[in-house]
Amino acid sequence: MEVTDNHFMVIDYSTKTILLYARNGRFMKKINYKKLGEGFYPAYRQAGNQVVFFGNNKNYTLTPKDLIKIRMDWGNPRNKKYFKKYRIDLNDTTFMIQKDDPDENDILQAYPLYDGYYWQGQISTSPLYKEGLDYEFKIYKNWELIKNFFP
């Protein structure tokens, strides 16, 4: 269960449905996300009051090396074709699943922190990186690395 500003959101991963309830307990909507396919799971983003589904485009198979190359060159617009993103705007009472463009924070798996800052908690190592050292916790602003913690 996820508690949002105005809703209670019950996620049933086995049936790929989301049950939305108002804060007073009144049932609002059942949202089925089976049509998105495998690998798309809901993630609530408080900053935009949205439910986001992000995953790989099933038309492409990426190796870990491919993912690293894409992360290093996200500014290349051709890299967006490898991923798909959908969202549900919880401010819109229709609660429709809409297609959205993935951004660098999606591919980096960076999550909103506050005031335009994002955090990432994952270590990636590869000979493709200039440095052999990576950090467990990273803070970004405007897709630029601001600070690293825990080498």
Side-chain angles (χ1 to χ4, degrees), residues 3-126:
V3 179
T4 73
D5 292 339
N6 299 319
H7 303 92
F8 294 112
M9 192 169 60
V10 179
I11 302 169
D12 185 353
Y13 294 105
S14 62
T15 62
K16 293 193 169 220
T17 57
I18 299 172
L19 302 174
L20 271 178
Y21 294 89
R23 291 288 282 220
N24 64 8
R26 182 177 52 88
F27 175 77
M28 296 187 73
K29 179 116 179 173
K30 180 178 182 178
I31 303 167
N32 186 328
Y33 61 94
K34 280 183 189 176
K35 66 180 178 179
L36 299 181
E38 293 298 318
F40 289 91
Y41 297 100
Y44 176 64
R45 304 279 169 86
Q46 184 178 11
N49 197 27
Q50 299 176 344
V51 178
V52 175
F53 302 86
F54 178 76
N56 293 340
N57 185 339
K58 68 179 180 178
N59 295 326
Y60 301 97
T61 303
L62 300 174
T63 65
K65 186 176 182 179
D66 294 332
L67 285 172
I68 290 170
K69 286 181 180 179
I70 290 170
R71 284 184 184 144
M72 291 172 59
D73 187 25
W74 183 252
N76 183 347
R78 297 180 75 196
N79 287 333
K80 290 185 180 186
K81 69 182 176 186
Y82 300 114
F83 305 98
K84 289 189 176 184
K85 179 180 177 181
Y86 302 92
R87 68 177 167 82
I88 301 170
D89 185 356
L90 295 179
N91 296 321
D92 179 8
T93 57
T94 62
F95 304 113
M96 299 295 297
I97 297 175
Q98 301 169 349
K99 192 168 182 155
D100 201 359
D101 288 329
D103 62 30
E104 187 170 7
N105 290 321
D106 295 317
I107 185 61
L108 289 175
Q109 297 176 347
Y111 303 100
L113 190 58
Y114 69 92
D115 202 24
Y117 288 93
Y118 286 79
W119 69 273
Q120 180 200 34
Q122 150 185 345
I123 290 180
S124 299
T125 58
S126 170

